[in-house]
């Protein structure tokens, strides 16, 4: 952070972090992103683009719907 002159790590899609840089450990980590038809790999890829694939207004609508559902359930 000192080298880059920043006080925080900017928001970004998650990185794949491993305990040991070995082929086996890296393969295990990457394979978790490939489960369920590569759901997480696809999601993080799309989230990292500026193509408007995740429109903020649409996300707000979904979040509002979840909040209303939670309110109905939990009061």
């Amino acid at each position: 952070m000192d080298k880059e002159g920043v006080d925080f790590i900017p928001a970004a899609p998650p990185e794949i972090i491993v305990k040991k840089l070995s082929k086996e450990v890296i393969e295990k980590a990457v394979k978790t992103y490939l489960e369920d038809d590569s759901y997480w790999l696809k999601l993080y890829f799309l989230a990292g683009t500026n193509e408007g694939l995740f429109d903020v207004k649409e996300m707000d609508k979904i979040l509002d719907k979840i909040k209303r559902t939670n309110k109905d359930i939990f009061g």
Side-chain angles (χ1 to χ4, degrees), residues 13 42-50 53-54:
K42 292 173 184 176
L43 179 67
Y44 291 141
F45 173 77
L46 293 173
T49 67
N50 291 326
L53 295 171
F54 291 105

Side-chain angles (χ1 to χ4, degrees), residues 16-28:
I16 297 173
I17 300 171
V18 295
K19 186 175 184 178
K20 181 180 176 187
L21 288 177
S22 70
K23 182 179 178 186
E24 295 80 21
V25 173
I26 294 169
E27 280 183 4
K28 284 182 190 178

Side-chain angles (χ1 to χ4, degrees), residues 12-75:
E15 298 175 358
I16 297 173
I17 300 171
V18 295
K19 186 175 184 178
K20 181 180 176 187
L21 288 177
S22 70
K23 182 179 178 186
E24 295 80 21
V25 173
I26 294 169
E27 280 183 4
K28 284 182 190 178
V30 171
K31 283 181 181 178
T32 66
Y33 287 83
L34 302 177
E35 295 172 355
D36 300 320
D37 194 28
S38 303
Y39 176 84
W40 288 108
L41 185 64
K42 292 173 184 176
L43 179 67
Y44 291 141
F45 173 77
L46 293 173
T49 67
N50 291 326
E51 301 297 321
L53 295 171
F54 291 105
D55 181 67
V56 174
K57 290 178 184 176
E58 290 301 315
M59 288 190 292
D60 288 342
K61 287 179 189 177
I62 294 167
L63 289 170
D64 286 340
K65 182 179 178 181
I66 292 169
K67 287 177 189 176
R68 285 192 308 275
T69 300
N70 288 340
K71 187 176 181 181
D72 290 343
I73 293 170
F74 299 110

